[in-house]
Amino acid sequence: MATPFALLKTSLVKKYWMSLTGIFLITFLIVHLLGNLALLGSNDGNEAQIAFNEYTKFMTTFPLIKIVSYVLYFSILFHAIDGLMLVAQNKKARPVKYAHNKPEKNSIWASRNMGLLGTVILIFIVTHMGSFWFKYKFTEMPIDPMGNKDMYSIVVLSFKELWYVLLYVVSMAALAFHLYHGFSSAFQTLGVNHPKYTPVIKKVGYAFSIIVPAAFAAIPLVIYFSN
Amino acid sequence: MNLTIKVWRQDGPSDKGKMVDYKLTDISPDQSFLEMMDVLNNQIIEEGGEPIAFDHDCREGICGMCSMYINGEAHGPGRGVTTCQLHMRSFNDGDTIYVEPWRAKAFPVIKDLVVDRTSFDRIIASGGYVSVNTGAAQDANALPVNKDDADAAFDAATCIGCGACVATCKNSSAMLFVSAKVSQLSLLPQGKVEAHDRVLNMVKQMDEEGFGNCTNTGACEVECPKGISLENIARMNREFMFASLTNK
């Protein structure tokens, strides 16, 4: 038997990895969102600041989460590189384009533009990690009343910048479209297609793709428009 | 009906090719699309030109030869029909109709609207068969087959190999075709024995031919004249996964 990595040149294996890393990233979104919700708490007596900074400390120091975070970095990189490789290969499969084409008659826009949407999301992730993750790990941070690194203030400060909020909202819209197709597509790629379960997977996927990015985008908007 | 037909003209595989406009008058809405093309060719011949080369054979939707990309869709605007089953009543008087060949690296143009689809034949030759003689038709119930499996195998077997799935896929992927051919055999007892080797070899050949990957847009399923379902692609994905993981 060849190893899964040796098989990476096979079209189907590339897709399996897209699917597996994609599903892992979907589960990560839930965890990330739950943490972010701490930002929305009332901060009259520094409660939100302390809660969010405690959470950040836990996420960066707890050993099991540290291991998962490396799997996460790998998944993001792999999903992006594998995806871009697939896009390049797919472009090569049709050297001469149609003079007149109506793809909207048979498929949705998001499904045909996963590469474009993914690129927007990738650019966002790079900016996002630069302004938060990199700052937290490699630069001197302010300290909160409990003696923890004050990630809360850094985040709130960023969310007061118009360009950052706009980038955030646009990226979450791209994420919504990416998930609208990607969620159920991941299951189809793994061979999960059944008259009983597929309609449920699709409905959950559509709901997820709207609710989760909307909730993410709501946080910087709330902070930007509040005093 | 009076129509403007824009057709892809290409002298041979190495010719660059271009879209050429033709005017047609007095086309009956009851004519089939290919009959309209015949009328157009007569007109071109009478004017001393070279007729448009296009593939066709049975003209009743079963041979899989006709292959035109009409107005931006494989086999034109109809659903569940091949180009030969498309009628001019699907268009309006005064319409401009674009007619192009299937576009894929694995389907090179031979001339005008004729493409070379032997890549499909090579995929079949790589495993789309049962190696042993399975004998005459079995006595009923001697070889129990679940009714659902029999139906699914039959549905997959209705694929005529026209290539509309490849033509319509944004990636020129042959997944729907290959998965139908994998499914029609692997669902039945005679084909199950070689299911693992078959799926591995056919996917390998599919990749070597230069078809693209599957993005699950579902366009193939919509444009397929035989209504082959995406369930077949999922089945192939499953079978390939199990075969890769378990084959020695």
Side-chain angles (χ1 to χ4, degrees):
Chain A
M1 186 200 121
T3 65
F5 279 106
L7 276 166
L8 250 185
K9 57 180 192 295
T10 314
S11 56
L12 263 57
V13 179
K14 283 200 205 91
K15 291 294 303 185
Y16 295 152
W17 280 108
M18 283 308 279
S19 170
L20 291 170
T21 49
I23 289 172
F24 178 68
L25 294 173
I26 284 171
T27 58
F28 162 71
L29 284 177
I30 304 171
V31 179
H32 192 327
L33 179 62
L34 292 176
N36 284 16
L37 289 177
L39 287 165
L40 287 181
S42 148
N43 200 35
D44 289 340
N46 292 346
E47 304 97 326
Q49 183 185 22
I50 288 162
F52 186 73
N53 289 342
E54 270 301 331
Y55 159 79
T56 319
K57 190 176 145 194
F58 174 75
M59 293 303 275
T60 45
T61 50
F62 190 68
L64 189 66
I65 293 183
K66 270 196 121 163
I67 296 167
V68 176
S69 74
Y70 287 111
V71 180
L72 175 69
Y73 305 148
F74 171 80
S75 293
I76 292 171
L77 273 179
F78 196 93
H79 195 81
I81 294 168
D82 196 21
L84 290 171
M85 269 164 44
L86 284 164
V87 168
Q89 211 168 33
N90 294 339
K91 286 230 179 304
K92 250 177 39 192
R94 176 163 296 153
V96 184
K97 303 268 172 291
Y98 290 107
H100 188 77
N101 202 6
K102 284 189 190 151
E104 68 281 1
K105 294 262 185 193
N106 50 43
S107 53
I108 59 166
W109 181 85
S111 75
R112 300 191 304 272
N113 291 282
M114 292 299 276
L116 173 74
L117 293 165
T119 307
V120 173
I121 298 164
L122 183 65
I123 292 168
F124 170 74
I125 292 174
V126 172
T127 322
H128 184 67
M129 286 186 79
S131 48
F132 300 140
W133 176 86
F134 182 82
K135 258 190 198 159
Y136 192 89
K137 295 229 161 186
F138 302 106
T139 64
E140 199 148 330
M141 293 275 294
I143 303 294
D144 75 359
M146 303 297 285
N148 292 322
K149 288 187 180 181
D150 191 7
M151 194 61 183
Y152 178 86
S153 301
I154 303 267
V155 172
V156 169
L157 218 60
S158 299
F159 288 174
K160 289 283 181 195
E161 302 238 23
L162 182 63
W163 74 270
Y164 201 91
V165 175
L166 282 177
L167 174 73
Y168 206 105
V169 171
V170 169
S171 305
M172 288 306 110
L175 177 65
F177 282 107
H178 199 75
L179 288 170
Y180 192 81
H181 175 67
F183 191 103
S184 58
S185 177
F187 290 89
Q188 162 79 7
T189 297
L190 292 178
V192 181
N193 186 325
H194 190 279
K196 212 188 275 178
Y197 306 110
T198 302
V200 179
I201 292 171
K202 283 198 170 161
K203 276 185 199 132
V204 172
Y206 295 152
F208 189 94
S209 71
I210 295 164
I211 295 167
V212 172
F216 268 112
I219 295 166
L221 285 173
V222 166
I223 292 177
Y224 184 77
F225 288 109
S226 68
N227 297 313
Chain B
M1 297 170 82
N2 297 328
L3 301 161
T4 303
I5 316 287
K6 288 175 179 283
V7 187
W8 180 260
R9 301 303 309 262
Q10 183 174 340
D11 268 349
S14 54
D15 183 36
K16 205 162 161 280
K18 61 175 188 301
M19 297 298 284
V20 176
D21 293 10
Y22 297 96
K23 295 271 181 212
L24 270 179
T25 49
D26 292 332
I27 292 295
S28 159
D30 296 330
Q31 281 179 332
S32 78
F33 198 86
L34 293 186
E35 284 167 343
M36 180 279 291
M37 291 299 290
D38 293 336
V39 170
L40 175 56
N41 269 345
N42 281 341
Q43 183 181 308
I44 293 172
I45 293 167
E46 277 168 17
E47 288 165 359
E50 174 84 9
I52 301 159
F54 62 89
D55 267 330
H56 62 102
D57 190 14
C58 75
R59 298 206 177 198
E60 54 186 18
I62 200 62
C63 73
M65 273 311 279
C66 56
S67 53
M68 292 182 191
Y69 208 76
I70 302 160
N71 270 355
E73 284 184 273
H75 295 303
R79 290 288 171 257
V81 291
T82 53
T83 297
C84 64
Q85 295 168 298
L86 179 68
H87 286 78
M88 298 314 292
R89 54 180 168 268
S90 302
F91 302 91
N92 297 316
D93 187 33
D95 272 3
T96 298
I97 304 172
Y98 288 79
V99 189
E100 296 175 76
W102 287 171
R103 292 292 188 197
K105 183 174 165 246
F107 286 168
V109 173
I110 298 172
K111 189 175 189 207
D112 297 334
L113 302 172
V114 180
V115 296
D116 181 355
R117 283 171 284 183
T118 49
S119 46
F120 269 12
D121 299 339
R122 289 189 291 274
I123 292 174
I124 295 296
S126 71
Y129 49 80
V130 174
S131 301
V132 294
N133 189 342
T134 55
Q138 298 288 314
D139 206 13
N141 301 330
L143 212 57
V145 179
N146 183 318
K147 175 74 163 64
D148 290 340
D149 290 344
D151 288 348
F154 188 82
D155 286 348
T158 57
C159 166
I160 52 177
C162 65
C165 45
V166 174
T168 201
C169 175
K170 76 177 186 74
N171 307 333
S172 299
S173 168
M175 290 283 281
L176 196 66
F177 166 77
V178 180
S179 68
K181 299 302 175 191
V182 161
S183 294
Q184 68 178 19
L185 295 171
S186 75
L187 283 162
L188 298 176
Q190 295 93 337
K192 231 170 213 142
V193 184
E194 296 169 285
H196 277 193
D197 287 338
R198 178 181 305 117
V199 73
L200 292 175
N201 291 333
M202 288 178 81
V203 168
K204 183 165 172 268
Q205 188 64 36
M206 171 180 86
D207 287 351
E208 280 172 13
E209 297 292 346
F211 291 104
N213 306 284
C214 180
T215 309
N216 302 322
T217 66
C220 53
E221 181 184 56
V222 175
E223 300 289 350
C224 174
K226 297 298 160 186
I228 304 291
S229 154
L230 286 185
E231 282 177 42
N232 291 296
I233 296 184
R235 183 179 298 107
M236 179 165 80
N237 288 344
R238 280 199 300 275
E239 285 194 8
F240 185 87
M241 193 186 301
F242 290 132
S244 320
L245 292 171
T246 57
N247 259 31
K248 293 186 181 116

